[in-house]
Amino acid sequence: MTILVLNGPNLGRLGTREPDVYGATTYADLVDSCRETAADLGIDIDVRQTDAEHEMLGWLHEAADGQHPVLLNPAAWTHYSIAVRDACAQLRAPLVEVHLSNVHSREEFRHRSVVSPLATGVICGLGITGYELGLRALAAMSPA
């Protein structure tokens, strides 16, 4: 089993993008943390980030076709991308939606997710620890 860890727009800029919201953790730190957690759990992961919606859709289709569990941070697409939502609807393995910040304590438009109704679970506001928790949950839910 391989868990796909998929990250949407602007997450590649962690560490420099709005550090008052997202902290000083870099994207490389996030990837390293995910790899360490996967090693601890004895699972395979594939961590990816894109700013291109069509690329994310392709990855979600790949996950659907391969029945891979997905840990997804759709970033800005969370709030409006029906295309990402529809691709998530095709998934047959567990989906955990994760956000670094607490989207419910931010601007009103961030309070709604088009992905959450399809997710097995949602984690927000815990920084990169949310990724660790999401990977642990997916590993526990998914057959080896």
Side-chain angles (χ1 to χ4, degrees):
M1 170 193 60
T2 299
I3 295 173
L4 299 185
V5 180
L6 305 179
N7 293 286
N10 297 310
L11 286 164
R13 298 192 50 83
L14 289 176
T16 58
R17 178 186 178 223
E18 298 180 79
D20 55 316
V21 174
Y22 300 105
T25 301
T26 66
Y27 182 72
D29 295 335
L30 184 148
V31 172
D32 289 344
S33 176
C34 288
R35 289 185 179 146
E36 288 171 16
T37 300
D40 289 347
L41 295 170
I43 59 172
D44 293 323
I45 63 168
D46 187 353
V47 184
R48 305 175 188 177
Q49 188 277 324
T50 186
D51 296 324
E53 188 175 25
H54 73 278
E55 189 168 34
M56 178 63 76
L57 296 175
W59 294 343
L60 289 166
H61 297 162
E62 175 187 337
D65 293 346
Q67 296 185 11
H68 297 290
V70 174
L71 180 61
L72 173 65
N73 186 337
W77 296 322
T78 301
H79 316 293
Y80 70 88
S81 178
I82 302 307
V84 170
R85 180 250 176 250
D86 288 351
C88 288
Q90 298 173 49
L91 297 172
R92 296 296 166 247
L95 165 66
V96 172
E97 179 183 352
V98 64
H99 297 281
L100 295 164
S101 68
N102 181 352
V103 294
H104 303 289
S105 68
R106 297 185 62 198
E107 303 93 339
E108 179 79 22
F109 72 88
R110 295 185 196 275
H111 297 184
R112 181 170 183 271
S113 168
V114 298
V115 174
S116 291
L118 301 170
T120 308
V122 179
I123 301 168
C124 70
L126 301 177
I128 64 170
T129 301
Y131 282 77
E132 176 186 342
L133 295 172
L135 287 171
R136 290 186 182 282
L138 287 169
M141 288 184 252
S142 302

